[in-house]
Every structure is written in structure tokens, then in C-alpha cells.
Amino acid sequence: MDMDEVFAAIAGETLEIHQEKYKLSSRISSEASHYMETDSSDWPPITFNWDLSEEGGRFSLDGENELSFKTQYPEGLILGKVKLDALDKKLCHFSRRDEGELWTVGSKSSLAYLIVYLSEKRPISPPLVKPHLMGEVMLMGGHHRYAIAKEIGEKYIPIYVEPKYRKEIDKLMEIDWLS
């Protein structure tokens, strides 16, 4: 078994699907290098194509495999929509991106990759939000999605929350629950 077959098996994919994903990822990575550390005015037009499907929820954690996701989140996730500025005000310091921090916090290559990915209108899952200390929330996944949404001036952003945290999150922000 070669390495591609091993990686495909680990991901629970056929070899063909794994190879297609690899080709897509390689192409996007190559194009992304052109946007590294650029001003958002130099980006291609970005449209968030939010994947709000139940199956897509696991991707909120940046590629969590299906078995691990189902083990860690047996009740699944609930979906809501929140004003981005309201979320931003409640984010703890290590989840929030402040003015001038777009390229200085997090992975530059991941951010540039996401710019290209989103410019192609590819589906993306909402960030996963969890209550944190002192009336704040934190992103468990989706830091770059949030950063780009904030940078391009999105007014609302969908979020996922574990069902056990719904009441606590409701006390912190006004959420329009969709599921």
C-alpha cells in the first residue's frame, strides 16, 4: 500500500477522491501564495458559501474525521446566526482579531489558502463557538473564517454550538437559532 492509499484509508475516502482533493489543495495553495500578506482590497471577490448541512458540521473543526467528530460530539451541533460585531465583542483575546492583526495572528498560509478557496465560492462550514471565562466565548475552529468575514465587512455569521452550551451562549449574545 503506497502513502496515498494509506492517507485515503485514514480519511475514509477512495483513492480517487483523495487524489482529486490533493490536486485541488495543491492548486489552491499555489494560487494562495499570491495573496500572502496582501491588503484585502487586493483580494479577489469573496462570497461565503456557508455549508449549513448537518454532515458539514464536522468541518467546523478544520477537517475533523467523521468518527472522531461523532465520538467527541455525540449530540451533534446546533446552528445559529449572530451579528459579527456582537460575536467580536464577546470573543476572548486569543480568538479575536483586532485592527492590524489579520496577517500577524494565526497561519498566514492558511489565511491565504482560504482567500482563494472562498473566492471560488466553495462550501465552508461555520465556526464552532464555546463559552469561555468571564462572559466571553472562544472559537474552537474557524479562526480564519471569522477573520476574513470580519475583514470584508460581513454583518452576520453562522456559528455552531454544542447543545449543552446553548443557554450559556444565549446569556452572552443574541442568537437566531436555526436548528
Side-chain angles (χ1 to χ4, degrees):
M1 189 180 275
D2 72 13
M3 290 308 290
D4 276 350
E5 292 170 321
V6 170
F7 288 130
I10 290 170
E13 301 170 339
T14 66
L15 179 59
E16 293 77 22
I17 289 174
H18 174 75
Q19 289 173 332
E20 284 300 313
K21 286 183 175 180
Y22 180 79
K23 278 197 266 185
L24 174 65
S25 179
S26 295
R27 180 186 59 75
I28 291 175
S29 291
S30 177
E31 291 179 28
S33 65
H34 303 295
Y35 297 104
M36 197 83 80
E37 297 194 60
T38 60
D39 187 87
S40 59
S41 64
D42 295 326
W43 297 352
I46 291 178
T47 301
F48 277 90
N49 177 17
W50 293 112
D51 177 1
L52 306 179
S53 69
E54 189 174 323
E55 307 81 46
R58 73 182 172 97
F59 295 105
S60 291
L61 295 166
D62 300 328
E64 186 85 15
N65 73 48
E66 191 172 354
L67 178 60
S68 175
F69 179 80
K70 286 182 178 179
T71 301
Q72 192 171 353
Y73 302 96
E75 295 179 39
L77 302 172
I78 55 175
L79 177 65
K81 184 171 81 170
V82 64
K83 285 186 176 180
L84 187 57
D85 63 344
L87 174 64
D88 200 53
K89 288 176 185 171
K90 290 296 181 175
L91 281 174
C92 62
H93 73 280
F94 53 85
S95 284
R96 187 180 57 250
R97 297 280 176 94
D98 292 323
E99 186 74 30
E101 291 183 331
L102 182 66
W103 291 104
T104 61
V105 178
S107 167
K108 292 177 185 180
S109 61
S110 294
L111 185 65
Y113 183 97
L114 192 55
I115 290 166
V116 174
Y117 184 91
L118 293 171
S119 74
E120 295 178 357
K121 298 182 174 92
R122 296 190 176 278
I124 192 86
S125 57
L128 177 60
V129 176
K130 179 179 180 179
H132 189 54
L133 306 171
M134 303 181 328
E136 295 178 322
V137 297
M138 63 187 289
L139 298 175
M140 300 301 294
H143 289 87
H144 295 101
R145 287 165 265 176
Y146 147 78
I148 290 175
K150 182 176 177 178
E151 179 68 19
I152 67 170
E154 291 289 300
K155 299 292 181 221
Y156 291 89
I157 188 169
I159 59 169
Y160 279 119
V161 174
E162 286 183 74
K164 66 184 178 183
Y165 296 128
R166 180 177 177 159
K167 288 181 182 176
E168 196 171 345
I169 294 288
D170 273 334
K171 292 177 186 174
L172 301 173
M173 296 180 288
E174 187 175 320
I175 307 285
D176 181 13
W177 295 108
L178 307 171
S179 67

